[in-house]
Structure formats: C-alpha cells, structure tokens
Amino acid sequence: MNLIFLGAPGAGKGTQAEIICQKLGIPQISTGNIIRAALKNGTEMGLKAKSFIEAGKLVPDDVVIGIIKERLLEEDCNKGFILDGFPRTIPQAEALGKMGVEIDKVIDIEVSDESVVARMSGRRVCKACGASYHIVNKPSKVEGVCDACGGETAIRSDDSPETVMDRLKVYHEQTEPLKDYYEKLNKLFMVEGSAEINEITASILKALEA
C-alpha cells in the first residue's frame, strides 16, 4: 500500500508513520530525515537546503523530488511505503504522478496551530541517527540519550516557537491545498490528531481498511 501522511508540522505524522510502517512492514520515507542527513554530511543538496530550512521555508521542489525519486527505486519500497513530509505542494504531488507513482490513500492528521506550537517545543531528535522523541509523548528511556544508537538528543533549531509559526504559515499557504487536490481524487481520509497516540493509530488503521 502506497500512502501519504499529511498534516501541519508537529501534527504527529512521523510518530504515526513509524507505528503504521511497523504494522504493515513497509518503509517510512521522511524527507526531513533524508535532508537532515544531507545537512549533517555537508552534501551539495544539504548545502542547498540549509538556508531554506533555517529560515523555516520549504526546500525547493527540484531538490526534494530528486531525493524522493532515488529513494522510491530502492528495493524496500517494492511492497509499499509511507511518504512523510512529501509532497508539500501541488507541483510536488503532480511530479509524483508523472513519476508513475500510484498513491492508494492519503491520511490527513488534523491538529490546531496552538497545539502544534506547544507540541513542537517538546520534540527532540538524535544528532547521530535522526530518531525522533518527545519529552511528554515519546520520551527516550534516558533523558538526552537516543534509545536506538546512544547518541545525544536535542531540540531542533526549527522547533523554536518563532520558526514554528513561520512554518505553519507556509503550511497553510502551500501544503494545505493538497487536501482539496487528493479529496477530488477520492483518496483523502481525515483523522483527528489531538487524541492519544494509540487512538490516532486506531483511526488511521480504520481509514486504511475503508
């Protein structure tokens, strides 16, 4: 099953994608993690993306589409995948279609802007492997230490309240129109994202069975 998870920054897409991927045995393809790896490694794409990310803006389509295209050709995507953080614009969605990628369902996780700002200030990411945590909803076993690799976890610069508000503005202007785009294709399923994590997972699984 080829899936897309939509939702504002901090809506819980990454957490839910991780859970659903384990249940379905398919990979979670997070553009955020791929881009952060490129930033850390100082690749050409990473350097291109850096100035946009630090300003809370979207990475240009040509850069993002290039990485996604390469990733979807890998063997682990043969049985399906979840795209988390892509597409973010109508042109990206159209490019996905031109690549011949058939999307089965699009899950939209709805959360208020106020909740997003409160949530994101508690997010932590491993500096080494990119694993994500939350000090309330998904804490690491030892504070400041990644469960997966033992690396240091820290708040990302783009999770500061000011940057979050900028990112929400960009989301409403550029990404939210995707809801109408996929609704017209009868592929959109909306899920309330302010519930407990297990309740949201149950709602998503129900939508996938529909």
Side-chain angles (χ1 to χ4, degrees):
M1 193 174 274
N2 299 342
L3 308 171
I4 291 172
F5 277 25
L6 285 182
K13 299 185 298 296
T15 298
Q16 290 299 328
E18 196 176 308
I19 295 168
I20 300 297
C21 281
Q22 287 175 354
K23 289 183 180 293
L24 300 182
I26 57 177
Q28 171 190 3
I29 300 178
S30 165
T31 49
N33 284 347
I34 296 172
I35 290 170
R36 277 191 288 279
L39 286 172
K40 188 184 172 213
N41 297 330
T43 64
E44 182 184 353
M45 186 202 73
L47 294 172
K48 280 184 185 176
K50 188 175 182 182
S51 59
F52 290 90
I53 290 173
E54 287 180 345
K57 295 179 181 176
L58 295 175
V59 179
D61 283 0
D62 58 338
V63 177
V64 181
I65 289 166
I67 11 169
I68 292 293
K69 191 170 184 178
E70 288 177 356
R71 182 66 185 86
L72 294 181
L73 291 172
E74 293 183 25
E75 196 175 330
D76 63 343
C77 293
N78 289 346
K79 293 181 181 178
F81 52 80
I82 292 178
L83 286 175
D84 164 22
F86 182 91
R88 291 193 182 189
T89 62
I90 299 285
Q92 286 183 357
E94 291 171 344
L96 202 59
K98 287 173 186 171
M99 281 161 49
V101 179
E102 181 65 31
I103 298 300
D104 298 305
K105 293 187 178 181
V106 178
I107 303 296
D108 173 41
I109 303 175
E110 286 286 310
V111 180
S112 71
D113 286 4
E114 295 77 15
S115 297
V116 165
V117 174
R119 244 185 223 189
M120 291 180 77
S121 62
R123 295 207 308 191
R124 300 291 182 270
V125 175
C126 176
K127 291 180 177 180
C129 74
S132 59
Y133 301 93
H134 192 281
I135 56 174
V136 176
N137 299 328
K138 191 190 171 189
S140 54
K141 290 171 186 171
V142 178
E143 188 177 344
V145 180
C146 175
D147 293 346
C149 75
E152 180 189 352
T153 63
I155 188 168
R156 284 171 18 202
S157 59
D158 54 349
D159 281 344
S160 68
E162 298 78 18
T163 307
V164 172
M165 291 305 295
D166 287 340
R167 291 172 70 196
L168 283 169
K169 184 173 182 288
V170 172
Y171 168 76
H172 291 307
E173 289 174 356
Q174 299 188 31
T175 305
E176 210 160 29
L178 284 169
K179 292 196 285 189
D180 287 338
Y181 178 86
Y182 284 112
E183 192 166 26
K184 285 172 184 170
L185 297 173
N186 295 316
K187 293 184 179 181
L188 187 74
F189 294 81
M190 295 176 74
V191 171
E192 175 54 55
S194 58
E196 294 294 323
I197 289 177
N198 60 336
E199 293 174 10
I200 301 168
T201 302
S203 297
I204 291 172
L205 290 172
K206 189 176 179 182
L208 296 182
E209 291 168 3

